[in-house]
Amino acid sequence: MAKKVVTFGEIMMRLNPEGYARLLQSGRFEVSYAGGEANVAVSLANFGLESVFVSKVPEHEIGQCAVNALRQFGVDTSYMARGGDRLGIYFCEKGASQRSSKVIYDRAHSSIAESVKADFDWDAIFAGADWFHWTGITPALGGELPQICLEACKAAKEKGVTISCDLNYRKKLWSREQAGAVMEKLLPYTDVCIANEEDAKDVFGIEAEGTDIEGGRLNHEGYADVARRLSKRFGCTMAAITLRSSHSATDNDWAGMLYSQKEDRAYFSPVYHVHIVDRVGGGDSFGGGLIYSLLNGFEPEKAIGFAAAASCLKHSIEHDFNLVSVAEVEALAAGNGSGRVQR
């Protein structure tokens, strides 16, 4: 029987110009649907797990489009609340060469941002669940969501459900001070903490020494120390950090690290040299790969290898969802990264 994973957060409409056109050039936009936790849910469904996404969307047709975008990949949407007036939107301009990608949010007063505690029956949602995943984006939307996230974490913990959180700090949603105050209360419920090279610094002031993100220089020992300090501070059994070196908007080096508190040891994946098609959702695909591998009992070295390979492949796929199979990820993790045609 497939393991059951619950994710909770916002799903939005993504609008982006065709190809690498700038927003200022565009008379038409491609439509897709995305959100940190929704992206994870799709990854896990593609990997064969029972994947449940919880959110709130409007009752009208646009809300239904978001639901349908998840259903087509096998995500269970039966616990999604309906109501409110609008689905959040974000505009994504893909960068190229030395021009950075750009994201503009239009998500204020979305249905999920105005949700209330009564919208979610966590006892029912977590029935039979093995894992719960959320990110720092969800409480950042304000309203009752910090309290709703706390209720969800408490309910999951009471049922013995493993909890993972991706810090996912978004400066366009809240300040560092606001993020730190809220996440300080939520992280103690977390078993597996996921972050990128900047999140721990932005939210908790925990910084890797000897690292220059802009210059592409990452200090492995510094990140192992960041993970160790996160685990010690919040009682996490594991902490994972994505390691990105940006040579340009188009070319990055990509890897991951998984720290085990039990062993007091950090495991590093191979480094992938990625020529990017679409990087948005890269961190979520890493989270999905990590959850899948840990749920399946992979040892830390194999787990971080699977997570990094899954995310590497995502960078080759348009839009946010990581539409790859376990077999494709395992092939890359085993060293088959030539990109040759499979016949």
Side-chain angles (χ1 to χ4, degrees):
M1 185 175 180
K3 300 286 188 179
K4 176 180 176 180
V5 181
V6 176
T7 69
F8 173 55
E10 180 170 34
I11 185 167
M12 296 178 287
M13 177 187 289
R14 167 176 164 169
L15 298 174
N16 59 268
E18 295 176 313
Y20 289 89
R22 304 213 69 183
L23 290 166
L24 293 171
Q25 292 177 287
S26 302
R28 64 179 66 186
F29 295 91
E30 295 177 337
V31 177
S32 58
Y33 295 88
E37 299 85 358
N39 299 340
V40 172
V42 170
S43 281
L44 296 174
N46 283 327
F47 293 155
L49 300 186
E50 183 182 348
S51 181
V52 180
F53 179 64
V54 180
S55 188
K56 186 175 183 178
V57 297
E59 291 190 45
H60 54 53
E61 288 84 352
I62 301 301
Q64 189 61 43
C65 285
V67 172
N68 292 349
L70 296 167
R71 284 180 175 171
Q72 69 174 309
F73 298 111
V75 175
D76 183 346
T77 61
S78 58
Y79 293 103
M80 290 179 67
R82 298 299 183 94
D85 296 323
R86 69 183 304 253
L87 188 76
I89 298 171
Y90 87 93
F91 297 85
C92 181
E93 178 183 286
K94 290 196 295 181
S97 191
Q98 279 67 46
R99 175 173 59 83
S100 300
S101 297
K102 181 179 290 185
V103 168
I104 299 173
Y105 291 125
D106 177 19
R107 64 201 299 183
H109 307 293
S110 65
S111 292
I112 184 70
E114 297 187 347
S115 60
V116 296
K117 295 177 183 179
D119 287 325
F120 309 105
D121 182 351
W122 295 112
D123 283 338
I125 291 168
F126 288 130
D130 299 285
W131 196 288
F132 174 49
H133 178 74
W134 61 284
T135 82
I137 295 172
T138 304
L141 298 174
E144 293 189 21
L145 282 168
Q147 293 75 34
I148 293 171
C149 286
L150 182 59
E151 284 194 349
C153 288
K154 287 181 177 179
K157 189 62 69 176
E158 287 173 1
K159 288 185 178 293
V161 175
T162 301
I163 301 175
S164 59
C165 173
D166 189 331
L167 292 183
N168 260 352
Y169 174 68
R170 296 290 184 267
K171 63 183 178 181
K172 293 185 178 181
L173 295 178
W174 57 357
S175 70
R176 293 178 181 179
E177 293 73 21
Q178 289 173 315
V182 172
M183 298 299 282
E184 187 82 30
K185 298 175 182 177
L186 294 171
L187 259 291
Y189 295 91
T190 300
D191 300 292
V192 180
C193 180
I194 303 169
N196 68 21
E197 62 270 21
E198 297 175 280
D199 287 335
K201 175 185 175 182
D202 288 334
V203 180
F204 298 118
I206 300 175
E207 184 175 3
E209 295 183 1
T211 288
D212 178 7
I213 295 167
E214 299 298 331
R217 180 168 56 89
L218 302 181
N219 175 14
H220 282 192
E221 285 306 314
Y223 283 115
D225 183 60
V226 167
R228 184 180 294 110
R229 291 160 66 187
L230 279 170
S231 296
K232 184 176 180 180
R233 182 167 170 178
F234 298 108
C236 308
T237 57
M238 289 187 169
I241 297 180
T242 56
L243 306 172
R244 183 190 298 274
S245 297
S246 296
H247 304 292
S248 70
T250 312
D251 294 284
N252 288 184
D253 290 341
W254 179 258
M257 183 211 74
L258 179 62
Y259 171 78
S260 168
Q261 186 185 56
K262 180 180 179 180
E263 302 170 77
D264 189 24
R265 180 179 173 183
Y267 298 82
F268 291 85
S269 76
V271 177
Y272 295 100
H273 306 290
V274 181
H275 187 73
I276 296 172
V277 172
D278 193 334
R279 66 165 280 178
V280 182
D284 304 320
S285 60
F286 175 86
L290 186 65
I291 292 167
Y292 172 84
S293 59
L294 293 177
L295 265 177
N296 280 279
F298 290 10
E299 292 299 317
E301 187 172 13
K302 184 179 179 181
I304 193 60
F306 187 94
S311 188
C312 173
L313 289 173
K314 161 62 194 78
H315 287 74
S316 71
I317 299 171
E318 293 273 10
H319 308 304
D320 285 58
F321 293 163
N322 192 22
L323 307 179
V324 298
S325 67
V326 170
E328 289 172 317
V329 177
E330 289 181 336
L332 177 58
N336 183 8
S338 65
R340 292 176 62 85
V341 175
Q342 302 296 307
R343 302 185 190 277

